[in-house]
C-alpha cells in the first residue's frame, strides 16, 4: 500500500489509530482472517469522512467493519483499508418519548440496555445479536420475531461521494438480511428508532428469556458468525443441514456445530479456507439432499 496514504491516514486519525498488516482474526467473531494492509479507527464522523475521502482519492478499497460478527475474511487478508466503526462512534441518546438516536458503532446490547433502563421497549430482540447497530441496519438484523425495520424510523448515511444523506425507513427497503443502504454501498452513521414505554422489569424479563433461549440453542462458547446461511423461504437452514447428514461435519478446525447445525464454528485452529470449505460442502450436500440452494448469510471478504 502507498506509504503516502498511510501517512495521510495517520494525520487524520492519529498514529495510534492506524495499524498496518493488522490480523483480521483479532476483529472477527470467527477469529479467523489474515492481515489487512491497513486498519483505521476513526474517532467520529468528520474523521470517518476524511478517511474515506483519502481512500477514494488514492484508489484504495475501504472495507467498513462494525463488530465483525457477520464476516469471514480470507487467510490472505485484505488489500485495502479496513475502517472500523465501533466504540469511538457509539453514543446513544433516548428522548422522553422513546425516540432513540444511536451512533452506528453502538453495540445492539448497549442500545437495548439503555432502552430498558429508560423504560422503553421494542429493541429486546436485538440485545443478544453481537454486532453494532450500524451492522444491524445494513443487514436488517433480526431474531425471535423482531427485526430492525420494525422499530427503525430512519438512518443517516454517507453516500459514495461522501455526502450525508438522511434515509427515511420507508426508503430503506429493508428485506430479509438486506437493505438499500447495503446494496448502494452507503455507510451508516446513525440509526433512529422509535420505542414504546413499558415497565423496565418487564423489558428485562423478556431480555433474560431471549438470552436463556439463545444459550440453550446456540454454541455461544465457540467462535462463529452466528447463522452461516440465510433461511430459505419455507425452511430452516439448520434442519436442512441436519437432514443432509452434515451436523458435526468437520474440515480442519471448522465444524458444523453439533449443538445447532445452522452455525459453522471454529474449533480453535480453523483457517478461513476450512470455514469456506465447510460452507461449500454443506451447500452441495443440502442441494443433493433437498434441491435447495443455501446462500451464505455471512459476508465473504478477500476471496475474490
Ligand atoms: C453468536 C452470534 C449470533 C448471531 N445472531 C444473530 C441473530 O440472531 N440475528 C441476526 O440478524 N444476526 C445474528 N448474528 C450475525 C451478526 O451479529 C449480525 O449480522 C450483525 O448485525 C452484524 O453486525 P456487525 O456490526 O458485527 O457487522 P459486521 O460483521 O462488521 O459487518 C457486516 C456487514 O455490514 C457492513 N457494515 C457494518 N457496519 C456498517 C456501517 N456502519 N455502515 C455500512 N456498512 C456496515 C459490513 O461492511 C458488512 O458488509 C449473530 C452472530 C453471532 C456471532
Amino acid at each position: 500500500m502507498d506509504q503516502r496514504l498511510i501517512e495521510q491516514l495517520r494525520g487524520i486519525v492519529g498514529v495510534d489509530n492506524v495499524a498496518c498488516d493488522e490480523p483480521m482474526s483479532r476483529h472477527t467473531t470467527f477469529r479467523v482472517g489474515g492481515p489487512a494492509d491497513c486498519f483505521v479507527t476513526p474517532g467520529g464522523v468528520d474523521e470517518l469522512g476524511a478517511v474515506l475521502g483519502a481512500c477514494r482519492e488514492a484508489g484504495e478499497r475501504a472495507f467498513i467493519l462494525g463488530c465483525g460478527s457477520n464476516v469471514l475474511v480470507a487467510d490472505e487478508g485484505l488489500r485495502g483499508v479496513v475502517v472500523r466503526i465501533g466504540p469511538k462512534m457509539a453514543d446513544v441518546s433516548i428522548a422522553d418519548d422513546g425516540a432513540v438516536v444511536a451512533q452506528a458503532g453502538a453495540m445492539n446490547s448497549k442500545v437495548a440496555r439503555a432502552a430498558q433502563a429508560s423504560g422503553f421497549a421494542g429493541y429486546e430482540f436485538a440485545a443478544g445479536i453481537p454486532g453494532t447497530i450500524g451492522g444491524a441496519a445494513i443487514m436488517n438484523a433480526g431474531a425471535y420475531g423482531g427485526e430492525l425495520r420494525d422499530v427503525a424510523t430512519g438512518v443517516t448515511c454517507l453516500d459514495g461521494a461522501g455526502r450525508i444523506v438522511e434515509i427515511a425507513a420507508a426508503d430503506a427497503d429493508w428485506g430479509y438480511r438486506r437493505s438499500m443502504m447495503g446494496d448502494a454501498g452507503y455507510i451508516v452513521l446513525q440509526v433512529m428508532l422509535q420505542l414504546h414505554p413499558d415497565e423496565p422489569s418487564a423489558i428485562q424479563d423478556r431480555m433474560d428469556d431471549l438470552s436463556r433461549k439463545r444459550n440453550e440453542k446456540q454454541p455461544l462458547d465457540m467462535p462463529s458468525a452466528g447463522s452461516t446461511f440465510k433461511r430459505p423461504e419455507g425452511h430452516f437452514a439448520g434442519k436442512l443441514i441436519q437432514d443432509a447428514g452434515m451436523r458435526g461435519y468437520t474440515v480442519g478446525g471448522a465444524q458444523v456445530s453439533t449443538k445447532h447445525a445452522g452455525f459453522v464454528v471454529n474449533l480453535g485452529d480453523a483457517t478461513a479456507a476450512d470455514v469456506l470449505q465447510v460452507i461449500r460442502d454443506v451447500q452441495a450436500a443440502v442441494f443433493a439432499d433437498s434441491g435447495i440452494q443455501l446462500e451464505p448469510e455471512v459476508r465473504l471478504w478477500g476471496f475474490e
Side-chain angles (χ1 to χ4, degrees):
M1 163 160 296
D2 188 343
Q3 193 60 31
R4 277 170 308 184
L5 175 60
I6 293 174
E7 288 309 324
Q8 204 183 345
L9 295 173
R10 286 182 175 142
I12 296 168
V13 299
V15 177
D16 293 347
N17 295 309
V18 179
C20 294
D21 297 323
E22 177 70 6
M24 288 302 293
S25 52
R26 289 186 190 156
H27 302 284
T28 60
T29 56
F30 253 134
R31 298 276 169 257
V32 303
D37 288 343
C38 189
F39 188 98
V40 180
T41 312
V45 172
D46 291 345
E47 286 186 10
L48 173 64
V51 163
L52 294 169
C55 292
R56 251 194 322 273
E57 271 173 35
E60 284 292 347
R61 179 157 176 201
F63 296 85
I64 305 300
L65 185 76
C67 188
S69 66
N70 208 37
V71 290
L72 175 64
V73 177
D75 299 312
E76 293 72 24
L78 299 171
R79 307 290 74 81
V81 179
V82 174
V83 183
R84 162 87 158 114
I85 300 181
K88 293 186 174 196
M89 294 178 62
D91 290 347
V92 178
S93 70
I94 304 181
D96 291 347
D97 64 352
V100 176
V101 180
Q103 282 193 301
M107 295 292 285
N108 292 311
S109 53
K110 175 179 173 173
V111 178
R113 268 200 315 274
Q116 181 275 336
S118 307
F120 289 105
Y123 208 60
E124 297 90 297
F125 75 89
I129 300 178
T132 62
I133 196 166
I138 288 291
M139 304 289 302
N140 184 29
Y144 300 108
E147 284 183 315
L148 182 102
R149 68 174 158 192
D150 300 339
V151 285
T153 54
V155 287
T156 308
C157 295
L158 279 181
D159 70 9
R163 289 177 300 239
I164 291 190
V165 281
E166 300 291 342
I167 297 166
D171 299 320
D173 193 25
W174 278 299
Y176 177 64
R177 303 297 173 260
R178 62 160 295 280
S179 62
M180 177 278 265
M181 295 78 71
D183 294 351
Y186 287 5
I187 289 150
V188 178
L189 302 176
Q190 62 181 19
V191 182
M192 281 69 76
L193 311 175
Q194 181 63 56
L195 304 180
H196 61 271
D198 199 356
E199 277 301 314
S201 61
I203 301 169
Q204 186 62 52
D205 286 349
R206 284 196 294 276
M207 286 182 4
D208 290 346
D209 184 42
L210 294 182
S211 166
R212 229 183 344 266
K213 284 187 178 140
R214 256 184 206 277
N215 272 300
E216 270 168 29
K217 294 254 160 65
Q218 301 182 357
L220 300 184
D221 54 338
M222 298 180 119
S224 79
S227 297
T228 314
F229 299 97
K230 292 183 181 170
R231 195 179 56 234
E233 190 112 17
H235 299 271
F236 289 102
K239 169 94 170 52
L240 292 170
I241 294 167
Q242 200 174 311
D243 290 350
M246 294 300 272
R247 181 189 280 260
Y249 176 75
T250 305
V251 175
Q255 183 177 67
V256 175
S257 166
T258 51
K259 188 169 179 185
H260 186 316
F263 282 49
V264 175
V265 294
N266 178 356
L267 296 174
D269 58 354
T271 62
D274 294 340
V275 175
L276 189 64
Q277 195 58 52
V278 169
I279 290 174
R280 298 292 181 233
D281 292 348
V282 165
Q283 284 176 309
V286 168
F287 189 73
D289 186 59
S290 64
I292 293 168
Q293 186 65 54
L294 288 181
E295 248 189 79
E297 175 174 323
V298 46
R299 307 277 169 109
L300 306 177
W301 283 4
F303 291 95
E304 56 282 323

